[in-house]
Amino acid sequence: MTLAKLIEQLDLKVYTGRNELTRPISGGYASDLLSDVLAHGQKDQLWVTLQIHPNIIAVAAFKELAAIVLVNGREPAAETVELARKERVSIIGTPLTAFEFVGRVYGLGIQGT
Amino acid sequence: MTKDTVFRQEFPVKGGDFSRAGEVSWEIKNLLKELGLSTPVVLRAAIASYEAELNIIMYAWEGRLVLSVTPGRVHVVVEDSGPGIEDIELAMTEGYSTATLEMRELGFGAGMGLANIKKNTDAFLITSEVGRGTRLELTFLTNGQRP
């Protein structure tokens, strides 16, 4: 599934990366610990988190993640948006909790690994 | 530095300065990419440098990363003036952390930094002196073959 398709199906908000939406999604990882994602995240995965500060962009870029998904309606900080645009990292958002969001994504056939 | 060093650059890092966290690692990533190294090597070096840079910011007073590239290898030497590590084996244990609550709330201080550094390097050396500081030597082979 592509990012665009997922955004359409789950009515997600796109903060950055409108030009990267044809990217395929290979799975997902949910964590709010940056080093945990650096250790266990994999290329082309969705990263589900509530962290909104600029350091999430380095994590997404260094792991070649497909997109960062901010849950609970959290919005990225202004510096985060700026850095994401520069590094072409997609940030999307949902009002759902992490548990709810992951459940729905799983239901669409996107699994952890 | 050996005579076949093709590139060398030093990056200072200030302890406690979270506003610039990650800047050095981005720069290292971009430099290695410009030198034409393969993406897996560039990303492994970026991740290990990021963890090392954050360790200086979180725990040390000041420090630096020294990047040098030779044919076949990328070296990153990380040195800091800081409290040092009393028990390196314990510090290497996943989940063990001395981070403050504030750092943890931002998702730092997971107790995985040193383990992540080791995992991403082809050779890893750590020495530390309590009350003085810590030194890491990270080596990445650029031919894509990991020992």
Side-chain angles (χ1 to χ4, degrees):
Chain A
M1 185 183 290
T2 63
L3 213 43
K5 186 95 183 147
L6 184 83
I7 288 162
E8 185 200 320
Q9 298 224 2
L10 295 181
D11 194 20
L12 306 172
K13 186 164 177 179
V14 180
Y15 293 106
T16 66
R18 279 180 188 79
N19 298 329
E20 318 293 327
L21 300 185
T22 52
R23 247 183 111 141
I25 302 164
S26 72
Y29 196 72
S31 179
D32 299 321
L33 296 173
L34 306 190
S35 291
D36 181 35
V37 183
L38 286 172
H40 299 120
Q42 287 170 35
K43 192 180 175 192
D44 296 328
Q45 282 186 335
L46 288 177
W47 172 22
V48 181
T49 185
L50 45 69
Q51 300 291 357
I52 59 167
H53 57 82
N55 276 278
I56 58 174
I57 306 305
V59 174
F62 295 176
K63 294 302 286 188
E64 300 183 296
L65 302 174
I68 302 168
V69 184
L70 303 180
V71 294
N72 292 3
R74 288 201 179 203
E75 298 194 356
E79 310 94 282
T80 309
V81 169
E82 198 183 320
L83 190 58
R85 287 202 176 120
K86 188 174 150 222
E87 302 294 342
R88 292 165 59 195
V89 168
S90 299
I91 306 176
I92 53 188
T94 173
L96 300 176
T97 64
F99 189 91
E100 269 299 318
F101 178 77
V102 169
R104 294 198 196 178
V105 170
Y106 213 94
L108 293 173
I110 298 172
Q111 303 189 351
T113 47
Chain B
M1 186 162 70
T2 55
K3 63 175 169 37
D4 56 354
T5 299
V6 291
F7 185 88
R8 184 183 186 280
Q9 193 165 335
E10 198 176 312
F11 305 90
V13 181
K14 221 173 110 190
D17 188 0
F18 280 90
S19 69
R20 302 185 60 183
E23 269 185 23
V24 167
S25 317
W26 278 114
E27 220 171 311
I28 287 175
K29 174 183 178 275
N30 292 337
L31 281 166
L32 295 179
K33 204 173 151 191
E34 277 167 31
L35 288 174
L37 300 182
S38 73
T39 302
V41 172
V42 172
L43 295 179
R44 283 199 287 124
I47 291 166
S49 299
Y50 181 81
E51 294 283 16
E53 181 186 355
L54 259 300
N55 277 350
I56 296 175
I57 293 170
M58 287 193 285
Y59 304 115
W61 305 309
E62 59 174 351
R64 59 182 188 154
L65 273 69
V66 183
L67 169 73
S68 55
V69 182
T70 58
R73 270 161 210 265
V74 174
H75 283 282
V76 179
V77 174
V78 186
E79 290 171 314
D80 71 50
S81 311
I85 301 168
E86 208 172 296
D87 185 339
I88 290 177
E89 204 182 321
L90 185 61
M92 296 287 304
T93 309
E94 272 202 36
Y96 177 81
S97 175
T98 57
T100 63
L101 192 61
E102 203 183 354
M103 294 172 194
R104 290 172 202 246
E105 277 173 0
L106 291 171
F108 298 116
M112 299 178 71
L114 288 174
N116 273 355
I117 292 172
K118 191 177 178 188
K119 196 174 109 181
N120 281 285
T121 50
D122 295 309
F124 170 73
L125 282 173
I126 176 167
T127 51
S128 189
E129 204 180 322
V130 173
R132 290 188 70 93
T134 300
R135 186 175 193 276
L136 310 178
E137 260 186 71
L138 322 179
T139 306
F140 309 88
L141 301 179
T142 55
N143 62 7
Q145 286 173 4
R146 304 190 63 176

